[in-house]
Every structure is written in structure tokens, then in C-alpha cells.
Amino acid sequence: MSNFLFNDKEDRQENLISVFTDLDSESDEKFVSIDVKEEMPILPIRNMVLFPGVVLPVTIGRKPSLRLVKDAERKGMQVGVFCQKQSDTDDPMLDDLHNVGVVAKVVRMLQMPDQTITVILQGFRRINLLELTEYVPYLKGRVKPMRDIMFQKNDKEYRALVDAVKEQAIKYVRLSDMVPPDSAFAIKNITSDFFLVDFLCANLPLKKDEKIELLMMDSLKDRTYRLLELMSREVQLAEIKASIQMRAREDIDQQQREYFLQQQIKTIQDELGNGSRRDIEEMRKKADSIKWNEDVKQTFLKEVDKLEQMHQQSPEYSMQLDYLKTMMALPWGIYTNDNLNIQNAEKVLNKDHYGLQRVKERILEHLAVLKLKGDMKSPIICLYGPPGVGKTSLGKSIATALKRKYIRMSLGGVHDEAEIRGHRKTYIGAMPGRIIKGMIKAGSSNPVIVLDEVDKLGIDVHGDPSSALLEVLDPEQNSTFHDNYLDVDYDLSKVMFIATANNLQNIPQPLLDRMELIELSGYLTEEKIEIARRHLVPKQLDANGMKKGEVKFPKATLEAIIEDYTRESGVRELEKKIGKVLRKMALQYAKDGYLLKNDVKPADLRGYLGVQEYSRDKYQGNDYAGVVTGLAWTAVGGEILFIETSLNRGKGKLTLTGSLGDVMKESAMLAVEYIKAHPQLLNIDVRVFEQWDIHIHVPEGAVPKDGPSAGITMATSLASALTQRKVKANIAMTGEITLRGKVLPVGGIKEKILAAKRAGIKEIILSEANRKNIEDIQQMYIEGLTFHFVKDVKEVFDLALLQDKVADAIDLTVVEEHKTKEEE
């Protein structure tokens, strides 16, 4: 309602009655039939709509408007009052004003305490604004009066409509706290239906556009219907608001009651001597600064309330306190800033690890994707390969490159699911699992966690820890990792998990599917030499109290240690041997006060490391028929092996020796069957297979051997033995054979080639499909080698077998069998 109608509380009701009585004493026709001048001053107002018969206070701020109302009061002029379309328009034009307004007169001008001018306007007749004719010193315009369609006094429908409007207005006044309660009394005493409707239109808290809509209606009956709709809406909103306030008041009353009860409990506890609750209050304060979600926060506060009810001397108190401290220690929402500079990461990886080019490329690809995506979600990587190749240290280098916290978690021998997920906190001695402990130790929610020896997990009656890891290592699930101890979800999606393993066969397939596999094969001798020179020797010098460069290991010495004293794919044993040499020298230095020599020569190794522990096979020439050099891959690198075939008279029996596996035995049988089926290739009599026994042997019989890669080697050995032809000197081969004589590709090519080169081999026969593997090897490793790529065993025979026979060739004549008369 218009504030100017209400003065002090004592005379508010009296003034209301007098104002409304004065207004009602004038007939409705006065407002709808007043003469309107064709041109008059135009007063734009903001966010207010004046209706006929209504008195409205307006604060005047613009200088042109102030001059207009002063002239209008002094001269008694009519003023056209129009509402602006936009309240922020300072100098409105014709398009900025609604075209429907009201003719008004200035009743009074008041200067308020804050020095602003408020003018009281009374509306009369509705008018249309046709155009603006003057802009200085204030707006003037041409207007046209609008016709109002009044109601019939004997219209019962309209009478009921007005009564309904009045009831809704009174109901709204009683519900709303924005309107003085005395206004209901005033509304009851308005006798003019015309004024009642326009008064309510002007003073109800309706939207400006809704008021303009009401003012534009020519029919008073239509205007009343529309007003009733809008009032019904406002009454419903007021009822809802009142209901909400009532419920809120009830909640506040309940909270106050609980507060007083809590205070009483605290007082009782103080009397009992249990008043030391500072740590609980500190927990509540700290909870406000931790960046956890609302559900976790509510769980935490609920557990704090539970702690507050416990006696300090009870066992449950310390368990509950430990639980809450664990929750607060977790790095909720704390992340370190990733350094996703690819050049820097490459520099760190190259500094810490020599070789492993493909592995480094794969890791850099992961970092590049992480940089492009920008969502901090990390891949799940599994580095697998033989021991000592740098899997764990590679994970540490990744953390250094990213500038993330590094946590190593050894899983070897873990056989309890609770080690991963934690124990339920109801148990005595319960604690969170290793994952949550690692997060607390890291102090951030995006560390690099190395799950070391993931293939060594065990299973027993306590559960399967590898199954618990399924949730940890699944990018779709680990954002809500559930630890049994915490009993709330924790987000692990930003953690970069790097698992390491030696043997993928021991990892369950569901767990394997969740990881990106990156193989770290064994180091070559050349790579081991560089690793020793760059990393191992300086490290051992420092470990044994010697200065850098004080003792030197030439390349030949390092190669001798690798070849003669170690047999491994990694460099752990090599580091131990270097350390052993330096300890022997340190002992001599401690005794004599000086070093006898600074350079360790290969000849000196026997004195430091004892007799040679291992020996590599060397090429043994081509003096014997049936002896062919093959190439094999082992967990500690490549090796050459010899396939030996001997013949002796018998009944065609095939004997295989040398601890051969099933696949290797099948390769031997395939070679025999192929030569039986194609004797014309070697110009041999097929009956030789019936009269001569064949014995195939692979030396080092105590060492188990298996795999298909010796297929063409066995076929060539058989061919040489059956023809007694020499095998080409300094040639080796590897490849799988089929029953049709096709040569298929095999693995471990790089390791096999380097083993061949060390053994003095000059030529190597491979499957055509292995050509791509040769192209990937650095030129320095294959220099001096000639490669022959074949598709069929016939090509192998043509390349490997010479026409010359060995010196002591066996006479493989076939004995003619005499036929009996019955056979004839």
C-alpha cells in the first residue's frame, strides 16, 4: 500500500478512514469523464503504475521532472503520467514509454529529511500517448482519452465479483507481513467498486507488466476478473510463505530445545570430571576448512557427536577418536600442480634411465594425453618384465617428471583383502587399507602410487586382494573407492597407479584388462655397459666412500663382468659385482693407505671376483654334419644354441633329448615329416627313414627349453645329417616351421641378434615377417651382420647347406630287401 497514507501508529486508522471517505464522496464519473487537454506535460515514472482515482507518492530525481511538477503545482496543470519500459533509461523517448497512462494532478510536494522531493499525484482518467511534441525544458506530448466501460449497478455477477475481490484482498492483508494489518479495516470501508478495483491494482505487489495489462483494459468487469486471478495467485504464495515460516519456526524451537539439553549434558559431564572437550571443538572447526563433499562432512559431524556422548575412559572412545583423526588426515580436495612439460619429462627419463626407448615413448604419450585432456584423470599402467630392469625406479622418475608425490606399495606376499580395503572400524585394532594409508602419507589426492610386484599377490581364507584391486584400478569405479574402515567414498580417479610385475601369467585376467601394459624387456650387453658407466659405477663409488673418477672401469672390464660373472636381464647383480670390486679395493686402501691401481682391467677381475662364473657359447665351426647354430631368447637375454642330429642304423626311430618342451618336440616332428614328404628337395631315398634311427639333441640338457623358434634350425640340422652336406660357416637362424614348410615369425629378435653378434655369427636367416623387427633396431647393433629373409624352408636349405660334404661323411646306402616268392 502507499506509504504516505500511514502516519504514526496512533492516528493511522483515523487517517485511512478520512482519506477513503473523501475519495468515495466523489462520484466515479468524475474520474472517467474529466476533460483532457489534447497536449499536456508528460511525467515518466519508473517501476510504478498510476490508476484512476488512486493517490500515489513519487520521488522526483531528474531535473526536467522536478521542474515539471513545480510548474504543475503552481499553475494547476494536468500532467500525463506514463511508466517507463526500462527503469535504467535516464532520458526516455516515445518508444521508451508505455503508451497507456493516466491524467493526474499534483496534490502536494514534500521535501523529505534526506533532501529529496516527493510529489503526491492523484490519477483521474486513462489516456493514450500519441506523440511527444516538446523535449525542453521537459517532455510534452499529444494524448487521447480512453473510454472506460462501466458496469451496470444491478449486475449481480459483478457484485459477487467485487465481493470476492474484497475478500481476497482482506485475506492477503492478514497473511502478508508486507502490509499493515489495519489496511484490512480500511479496505472493508471502501464503498466505491470502481475505486476499490483500481486501488488494489495500484497497491498490490504485482509485476509492472501485469499492472500495465490491467490499466489497458477498457472494461471494468474484465479488469476485475483479471485482478481476481492475480490476487488468488498472490494469496496462494502468501499462504505457502506463511506455512514455510511456521515450519521454520518449529524447527528453530526444536533446535533450541536440543541446544539446552546438550548444555545440560555438558554440565553433568563437567560435574563427573569429563569436561575436557577441546579436541572435539577443534575437530568441528577444522571440519569447516576441509574440502570434502557435503555427505562426507555430515558423516564426520555425526561421528563427532557420537564421540561427544562417549566416556573418555571407554575403549570405544579411543577407537572413535582414531577414526576421526584418520578422516581429517586424508588430503580431501588437495592436489599438487602437474608439470606436464613433455620436454622436461623426457629429460628426466633419459637422465634416470638409459635405453628403454619404446617404454619412454609410451609413457610420454600418456603424459601428452593427460596434458591435452586437462581433467587430471590418470591412466593405469602396468610395467612388466624380468627383475632388475628398472620398473620401480621408472615409476619414481615419472613422479619426479610430473612433480607429484611418490608412494611405493609392495604387494609381494599380501594375501588379505583387508590390506587393500581396510578393516571395519568396529574391530579392535582396525585400521584403513594400504591405499588410504598411502594417500595420507602422500598428503595429496593425485600422487603416483607404484603397486610393486602385483603378480605376487596371494589368496587364502582372508580373501583375494587382487579382487579388491579391481575397484582401485578401474577408472570407472575408483572415483568412489570404498574403504571398509572409512565407510565413506574417496576419489582415487586423479591418482596415477603404476603396477609392476615379472610374470603376467600370475595376474588374474579381470585385473589385467584394467591396465595398460608396457613391456620392459631385458637390457642388452651394450646397454648394461652404458648403465654401469653412467649410473652404477658413480653410485657404488659414493656408497664405498670413494670420489668420482678415483677408480675407473673401462668398457672391456664392464663387458667382462657382464659376460663372465652375471647372468641376468637387469643390472642388479652387475651392481653387486661392481660394489664387490670396490669393497676389495677399499680394503686394500685401508690397509696400505693408497690404491695400487686406478683402472680395473679384465685380467684383474679374477683377483676381485674369483673364477669365471658363466661362459657364453661361441660359434664352433661347420666341420660336423647335422650341427646347426640356432638362436634363442631367455629371461636374461639372447643365447645361441646348437641343434645336433646323428644317424645310426635301425628301424626309423626318432629320439629327442635335451630337456625339450612339448612345443619344441612338435617342431622336431614337423621337420622330420616335412623332409619325409619332400625327399626330392635333398635328393635322398625315402627308405632311409625306415633303416636309420634319428637322434636330435640340444646341448645343456639340464636347462629346460621350449618354444617354436628352433623349427627351421631343426629342419636344417636334419637335412645336413641326411645329406652329410656341410652347413655354411658363421650362419645362424631362427623361425617357426609349419607342416607345409612355411617359415613363420618369432619374437625376441633384438636379443637373439645381439647374442649372435657376440658369438661371432656373420649371417642370420629370419622369416620375411621379421623384417620389420630388424628395421626397429639401431644400426650400431646390427653393423657387420647380413640378414636373409625367407618364406619357405626350401630357401633356408638353399642358403644354409653347401654342396661339399663333411670329411668323415657317413655312407647312407639303403639295403635292398629280398622279396619272398609269396610277395612276388
Side-chain angles (χ1 to χ4, degrees):
M1 299 252 177
S2 303
N3 293 333
F4 83 98
L5 293 175
F6 309 112
N7 299 316
D8 294 335
K9 184 176 180 181
E10 293 80 8
D11 61 349
R12 182 186 300 158
Q13 183 171 319
E14 183 182 344
N15 284 344
L16 276 169
I17 296 172
S18 63
V19 169
F20 291 137
T21 302
D22 292 342
L23 292 173
D24 290 348
S25 64
E26 302 184 47
S27 64
D28 297 343
E29 286 76 7
K30 172 183 176 182
F31 297 104
V32 298
S33 60
I34 188 173
D35 293 333
V36 177
K37 294 184 179 180
E38 185 177 354
E39 185 180 45
M40 62 177 62
I42 303 300
L43 177 64
I45 58 177
R46 310 175 201 251
N47 299 322
M48 303 172 74
V49 180
L50 182 62
F51 280 78
V54 177
V55 177
L56 186 70
V58 179
T59 300
I60 304 298
R62 289 178 280 211
K63 290 182 180 179
S65 299
L66 185 60
R67 183 167 180 178
L68 185 155
V69 295
K70 285 181 178 179
D71 288 353
E73 183 188 36
R74 188 175 67 256
K75 299 177 183 178
M77 296 189 301
Q78 292 181 344
V79 178
V81 180
F82 293 88
C83 180
Q84 293 182 192
K85 294 178 181 178
Q86 301 293 333
S87 61
D88 56 355
T89 304
D90 290 330
D91 297 313
M93 297 291 105
L94 181 65
D95 292 338
D96 298 321
L97 302 173
H98 290 284
N99 61 352
V100 177
V102 174
V103 174
K105 286 187 177 179
V106 177
V107 177
R108 186 182 302 174
M109 286 182 61
L110 303 172
Q111 185 163 359
M112 308 305 289
D114 59 356
Q115 305 305 313
T116 58
I117 301 297
T118 297
V119 60
I120 299 173
L121 302 174
Q122 182 174 11
F124 286 90
R125 188 172 184 179
R126 297 183 307 126
I127 54 175
N128 269 336
L129 178 61
L130 302 178
E131 63 175 339
L132 293 178
T133 56
E134 292 184 27
Y135 299 93
V136 180
Y138 42 76
L139 297 178
K140 286 187 179 180
R142 280 198 317 110
V143 298
K144 177 182 178 182
M146 298 177 67
R147 178 171 172 269
D148 286 292
I149 302 174
M150 306 299 288
F151 58 90
Q152 299 295 326
K153 291 191 176 181
N154 56 357
D155 189 341
K156 295 181 180 179
E157 179 186 355
Y158 185 74
R159 183 77 263 150
L161 184 62
V162 170
D163 289 344
V165 166
K166 186 177 288 188
E167 288 177 6
Q168 289 287 71
I170 293 170
K171 189 174 182 180
Y172 177 77
V173 169
R174 289 172 179 168
L175 288 170
S176 176
D177 54 0
M178 299 172 59
V179 182
D182 297 340
S183 304
F185 177 80
I187 291 172
K188 285 182 182 178
N189 287 277
I190 298 177
T191 58
S192 169
D193 297 336
F194 172 81
F195 176 72
L196 174 67
V197 172
D198 284 348
F199 180 80
L200 293 174
C201 288
N203 288 285
L204 279 174
L206 304 176
K207 296 177 182 177
K208 182 202 69 172
D209 291 339
E210 291 173 342
K211 291 185 178 183
I212 293 294
E213 177 191 355
L214 291 167
L215 185 62
M216 291 177 68
M217 291 180 174
D218 295 334
S219 169
L220 184 60
K221 190 173 184 179
D222 293 343
R223 192 183 307 166
T224 308
Y225 265 115
R226 179 60 178 151
L227 175 63
L228 183 60
E229 291 176 9
L230 296 173
M231 285 184 65
S232 298
R233 182 195 70 191
E234 294 299 322
V235 168
Q236 289 177 5
L237 291 174
E239 287 175 339
I240 294 171
K241 183 178 178 182
S243 175
I244 293 171
Q245 289 176 339
M246 181 61 69
R247 287 200 299 270
R249 192 175 298 113
E250 290 174 356
D251 290 342
I252 291 172
D253 292 342
Q254 179 66 20
Q255 291 173 7
Q256 290 175 341
R257 179 175 175 275
E258 291 176 356
Y259 173 77
F260 288 130
L261 288 174
Q262 290 288 346
Q263 292 301 314
Q264 290 176 357
I265 290 171
K266 286 182 179 180
T267 303
I268 293 170
Q269 289 173 340
D270 289 341
E271 292 295 327
L272 293 172
N274 299 325
S276 178
R277 300 294 183 184
R278 282 180 296 179
D279 52 347
I280 294 177
E281 295 304 322
E282 288 175 4
M283 286 182 186
R284 287 200 176 99
K285 289 179 182 178
K286 191 173 181 180
D288 294 331
S289 62
I290 297 175
K291 299 176 183 177
W292 42 29
N293 61 49
E294 193 60 31
D295 291 339
V296 176
K297 184 177 181 180
Q298 292 305 319
T299 301
F300 177 81
L301 294 176
K302 192 181 296 182
E303 296 295 330
V304 171
D305 293 339
K306 193 183 296 183
L307 177 69
E308 199 169 16
Q309 308 303 320
M310 294 179 180
H311 194 284
Q312 282 186 337
Q313 304 304 319
S314 68
E316 291 82 4
Y317 184 89
S318 60
M319 291 168 57
Q320 186 74 359
L321 187 62
D322 289 342
Y323 169 73
L324 294 172
K325 287 181 177 179
T326 300
M327 284 193 73
M328 289 191 299
L330 278 166
W332 301 93
I334 299 174
Y335 302 97
T336 55
N337 294 322
D338 284 345
N339 180 8
L340 295 176
N341 186 320
I342 304 299
Q343 289 77 15
N344 176 70
E346 186 174 14
K347 182 179 178 181
V348 171
L349 291 175
N350 288 333
K351 178 184 176 183
D352 295 345
H353 294 82
Y354 178 80
L356 304 176
Q357 295 305 320
R358 287 192 176 184
V359 178
K360 292 176 183 176
E361 286 178 12
R362 293 282 290 277
I363 292 170
L364 292 174
E365 287 167 7
H366 280 304
L367 299 184
V369 171
L370 199 64
K371 180 178 182 179
L372 293 176
K373 286 178 67 180
D375 62 357
M376 294 177 67
K377 285 198 173 183
S378 302
I380 312 296
I381 299 172
C382 178
L383 305 175
Y384 72 96
V389 295
K391 299 183 293 296
T392 305
S393 60
L394 195 58
K396 190 170 185 179
S397 296
I398 293 172
T400 303
L402 286 173
K403 290 189 176 179
R404 288 193 182 191
K405 298 295 180 65
Y406 170 76
I407 299 295
R408 177 183 168 273
M409 198 175 298
S410 179
L411 299 180
V414 172
H415 52 77
D416 189 351
E417 179 194 357
E419 292 279 345
I420 307 299
R421 289 187 185 275
H423 306 81
R424 298 195 179 279
K425 62 184 174 70
T426 52
Y427 298 138
I428 295 175
M431 61 181 68
R434 292 194 180 196
I435 300 296
I436 294 300
K437 283 182 180 177
M439 301 304 294
I440 294 173
K441 183 178 179 182
S444 72
S445 292
N446 63 334
V448 173
I449 295 183
V450 174
L451 302 173
D452 213 6
E453 311 294 353
V454 74
D455 58 329
K456 308 296 190 303
L457 288 168
I459 303 174
D460 66 4
V461 293
H462 298 291
D464 181 4
S466 63
S467 298
L469 280 177
L470 294 177
E471 182 185 7
V472 176
L473 299 181
D474 190 339
E476 301 299 324
Q477 299 181 39
N478 63 9
S479 59
T480 55
F481 172 68
H482 192 87
D483 185 273
N484 291 330
Y485 182 78
L486 281 185
D487 205 25
V488 293
D489 293 338
Y490 192 83
D491 186 4
L492 298 177
S493 61
K494 309 299 187 299
V495 178
M496 177 178 276
F497 287 103
I498 300 176
T500 70
N502 299 129
N503 188 357
L504 296 183
Q505 304 298 323
N506 298 334
I507 302 176
Q509 191 60 41
L511 184 59
L512 207 58
D513 290 342
R514 284 162 167 78
M515 299 185 289
E516 174 76 21
L517 302 178
I518 300 179
E519 181 181 8
L520 276 73
S521 58
Y523 292 114
L524 309 173
T525 299
E526 290 78 0
E527 291 173 334
K528 290 180 182 179
I529 292 170
E530 284 299 316
I531 292 170
R533 196 171 58 82
R534 297 185 185 189
H535 303 289
L536 304 184
V537 171
K539 180 179 177 183
Q540 286 301 316
L541 282 170
D542 182 65
N544 289 282
M546 299 181 184
K547 296 179 182 178
K548 184 178 180 181
E550 196 169 355
V551 177
K552 296 179 180 178
F553 286 79
K555 182 177 179 181
T557 304
L558 293 172
E559 184 175 0
I561 296 174
I562 294 167
E563 295 290 341
D564 299 338
Y565 292 93
T566 66
R567 184 61 61 91
E568 60 177 347
S569 54
V571 291
R572 283 181 184 161
E573 189 65 25
L574 173 60
E575 183 177 5
K576 292 176 184 176
K577 297 299 183 184
I578 294 172
K580 186 174 181 180
V581 171
L582 291 175
R583 285 195 301 275
K584 294 277 189 182
M585 298 182 76
L587 176 61
Q588 178 265 314
Y589 181 81
K591 287 180 177 180
D592 302 336
Y594 62 92
L595 288 173
L596 292 175
K597 54 179 67 179
N598 291 332
D599 287 355
V600 181
K601 299 289 193 297
D604 302 328
L605 293 177
R606 185 180 179 90
Y608 294 124
L609 300 177
V611 297
Q612 179 179 335
E613 298 178 18
Y614 305 99
S615 61
R616 298 280 183 178
D617 289 325
K618 297 293 183 181
Y619 178 68
Q620 297 176 358
N622 63 342
D623 296 332
Y624 299 94
V627 180
V628 181
T629 306
L631 300 175
W633 179 90
T634 69
V636 295
E639 296 282 354
I640 66 168
L641 55 80
F642 302 101
I643 307 294
E644 302 175 349
T645 301
S646 68
L647 302 174
N648 56 295
R649 285 198 178 272
K651 297 182 180 181
K653 179 183 175 183
L654 175 63
T655 304
L656 303 173
T657 57
S659 296
L660 307 186
D662 291 340
V663 177
M664 204 165 183
K665 288 178 181 178
E666 290 170 2
S667 297
M669 288 186 281
L670 283 172
V672 172
E673 293 302 322
Y674 177 78
I675 295 175
K676 276 186 181 181
H678 304 84
Q680 70 279 2
L681 292 177
L682 300 171
N683 295 319
I684 59 175
D685 190 331
V686 71
R687 289 175 296 175
V688 74
F689 293 102
E690 300 172 358
Q691 300 179 12
W692 291 82
D693 290 341
I694 301 174
H695 186 166
I696 299 177
H697 176 67
V698 182
E700 296 188 26
V703 180
K705 310 167 192 70
D706 203 0
S709 63
I712 62 172
T713 314
M714 288 182 168
T716 306
S717 176
L718 274 168
S720 174
L722 290 169
T723 60
Q724 293 295 293
R725 289 160 60 182
K726 282 187 176 183
V727 177
K728 190 175 183 180
N730 299 306
I731 194 168
M733 59 194 71
T734 182
E736 182 179 353
I737 187 175
T738 71
L739 200 56
R740 295 176 297 158
K742 300 295 181 184
V743 180
L744 302 182
V746 292
I749 296 298
K750 183 178 180 182
E751 290 82 356
K752 292 177 180 178
I753 287 172
L754 289 167
K757 188 175 180 181
R758 285 194 301 267
I761 299 297
K762 301 299 182 184
E763 298 181 58
I764 299 175
I765 299 176
L766 299 168
S767 168
E768 177 65 37
N770 282 125
R771 186 188 293 270
K772 61 181 182 296
N773 301 105
I774 301 301
E775 294 171 353
D776 286 343
I777 301 174
Q778 295 182 35
Q779 187 64 33
M780 60 180 287
Y781 295 141
I782 60 176
E783 189 175 345
L785 293 175
T786 302
F787 296 96
H788 303 285
F789 300 102
V790 298
K791 296 180 180 178
D792 195 275
V793 177
K794 291 182 289 185
E795 300 176 56
V796 178
F797 293 163
D798 293 340
L799 288 166
L801 296 178
L802 301 175
Q803 294 302 321
D804 300 336
K805 293 197 175 186
V806 294
D808 52 350
I810 300 173
D811 183 10
L812 297 176
T813 55
V814 177
V815 179
E816 293 288 342
E817 296 182 1
H818 300 286
K819 297 181 181 179
T820 64
K821 290 182 179 180
E822 288 79 13
E823 290 174 333
E824 291 176 354

